[in-house]
Amino acid sequence: MTQSHPRISKAVIPAAGLGTRFLPATKATPKEMLPVVDKPAIQYVVEEAVAAGLDDVLMVTGRNKRPLEDHFDRNYELESALQKKGDAGRLAKVQESSDLATMHYVRQGDPKGLGHAVLCAAPHVGHEPFAVLLGDDLIDPRDPLLQRMVEVQEQRGGSVIALMEVAPEQIHLYGCAAVETTEDSDVVKVSGLVEKPDPSDAPSNYAIIGRYVLDPHIFGILRRTEPGRGGEIQLTDALQQLAEDEKIGGPVHGVVFKGRRYDTGDRGDYLRAIVRLACEREDLGPDFRTWLRSYVAEEM
């Protein structure tokens, strides 16, 4: 029988990156605020955390990220204007973001990598397990990946990472995991991790995607972790130490994800994500799909 572990309630969202791949759009606008159809990407991520039962959200920000805080705050002037117009639909959408979760913010300061961003959350998280969600990966709400990861962590303890099989020639773009099977078809035990390996050196084609549920012992390891690939403090390097020695903070498991994931990390995938999500919207999909078929037929 599996052991029950403490309930997770806190989520950490690193959002201090400069968004250089989307310049000049991100010169004055945080990349996390770029719209995916009609909501900023960051709102999808917060909604995912809340849907998994994590309503205490810490966002790790940096300079020029104030719009993130404003988005999840009340805007009384706008709300009043919509009320006077009797526009209940848009008013509800505006209020939705400010009512989603209990939001907290901390500044990373120097951009020293994902591991350092996670370490900035230590005072808020304390000694509890917690989730980390990266804003570049949007997970379809019909495929509750984070909820499954929380469930696995509560049953097995330690840390849990999200994995996805990719083509071998693509593994150099991701962190990569060496894995062993378990009695659950969607859960593997992680025996090793490496950040962006050469395809010939990769231990598998299981790529780490941007969801983690972490044991708080990760903070002590991150404090001792030297800069790795790219001169940054890599979360993957710290997780490797947990995988090597379960006595530090329990085992590391992976949930193998086979659902719908929208990668907004580069321009091409960002545009594809918008098209896919727009096509699936009840209010936009029918007309948009008709136009898209016509456009593709004309261009071909």
Side-chain angles (χ1 to χ4, degrees), residues 27-64:
K27 179 181 178 181
T29 301
K31 67 172 183 175
E32 296 85 3
M33 288 300 297
L34 294 179
V36 180
V37 188
D38 55 2
K39 282 193 298 190
I42 194 68
Q43 184 169 333
Y44 289 89
V45 180
V46 174
E47 288 173 348
E48 180 187 351
V50 172
L54 285 62
D55 57 1
D56 184 321
V57 178
L58 174 70
M59 205 167 289
V60 183
T61 68
R63 293 181 68 249
N64 301 324

Side-chain angles (χ1 to χ4, degrees), residues 173-238:
L173 300 173
Y174 300 87
C176 176
V179 302
E180 303 167 5
T181 59
T182 71
E183 64 274 15
D184 294 320
S185 60
D186 65 334
V187 178
V188 294
K189 185 174 182 181
V190 176
S191 57
L193 297 131
V194 59
E195 181 68 19
K196 297 181 179 178
D198 186 276
S200 61
D201 298 326
S204 73
N205 66 328
Y206 283 103
I208 305 169
I209 58 176
R211 298 294 181 271
Y212 308 81
V213 178
L214 301 176
D215 183 274
H217 284 89
I218 195 75
F219 294 130
I221 296 175
L222 285 169
R223 291 186 184 100
R224 301 188 299 270
T225 299
E226 295 294 328
R229 190 177 183 91
E232 298 182 335
I233 298 173
Q234 297 290 347
L235 181 60
T236 303
D237 294 342

Side-chain angles (χ1 to χ4, degrees), residues 7-262:
R7 175 69 188 173
I8 299 168
S9 64
K10 294 179 179 178
V12 175
I13 303 177
L18 298 176
T20 54
R21 286 179 290 181
F22 281 84
L23 286 170
T26 51
K27 179 181 178 181
T29 301
K31 67 172 183 175
E32 296 85 3
M33 288 300 297
L34 294 179
V36 180
V37 188
D38 55 2
K39 282 193 298 190
I42 194 68
Q43 184 169 333
Y44 289 89
V45 180
V46 174
E47 288 173 348
E48 180 187 351
V50 172
L54 285 62
D55 57 1
D56 184 321
V57 178
L58 174 70
M59 205 167 289
V60 183
T61 68
R63 293 181 68 249
N64 301 324
K65 297 286 183 165
R66 183 60 185 269
L68 294 171
E69 299 183 34
D70 291 341
H71 179 71
F72 292 100
D73 199 359
R74 298 292 298 272
N75 187 327
Y76 293 102
E77 294 82 0
L78 177 58
E79 291 176 27
S80 177
L82 292 171
Q83 282 179 331
K84 290 177 180 177
K85 289 182 178 180
D87 195 338
R90 288 191 174 89
L91 177 60
K93 290 181 179 179
V94 168
Q95 292 176 331
E96 181 184 13
S97 59
S98 58
D99 295 336
L100 269 176
T102 302
M103 302 295 298
H104 309 271
Y105 304 90
V106 63
R107 285 203 173 193
Q108 183 178 6
D110 294 331
K112 298 178 181 178
L114 176 58
H116 181 259
V118 171
L119 185 55
C120 291
H124 180 77
V125 170
H127 301 289
E128 305 173 30
F130 64 104
V132 174
L133 299 86
L134 305 189
D136 288 346
D137 284 329
L138 304 188
I139 304 298
D140 195 293
R142 293 168 293 183
D143 301 311
L145 168 62
L146 185 60
Q147 185 174 328
R148 175 59 173 152
M149 294 173 67
V150 169
E151 179 183 276
V152 170
Q153 197 282 335
E154 290 175 346
Q155 292 173 347
R156 299 173 181 264
S159 298
V160 181
I161 62 177
L163 300 174
M164 180 183 68
E165 289 190 80
V166 300
E169 60 270 19
Q170 296 295 311
I171 197 65
H172 71 283
L173 300 173
Y174 300 87
C176 176
V179 302
E180 303 167 5
T181 59
T182 71
E183 64 274 15
D184 294 320
S185 60
D186 65 334
V187 178
V188 294
K189 185 174 182 181
V190 176
S191 57
L193 297 131
V194 59
E195 181 68 19
K196 297 181 179 178
D198 186 276
S200 61
D201 298 326
S204 73
N205 66 328
Y206 283 103
I208 305 169
I209 58 176
R211 298 294 181 271
Y212 308 81
V213 178
L214 301 176
D215 183 274
H217 284 89
I218 195 75
F219 294 130
I221 296 175
L222 285 169
R223 291 186 184 100
R224 301 188 299 270
T225 299
E226 295 294 328
R229 190 177 183 91
E232 298 182 335
I233 298 173
Q234 297 290 347
L235 181 60
T236 303
D237 294 342
L239 285 166
Q240 166 65 18
Q241 294 187 47
L242 287 180
E244 286 178 344
D245 187 356
E246 294 184 15
K247 295 179 182 178
I248 299 176
V252 179
H253 286 90
V255 169
V256 180
F257 183 61
K258 297 182 179 179
R260 287 156 284 201
R261 167 180 173 259
Y262 310 107

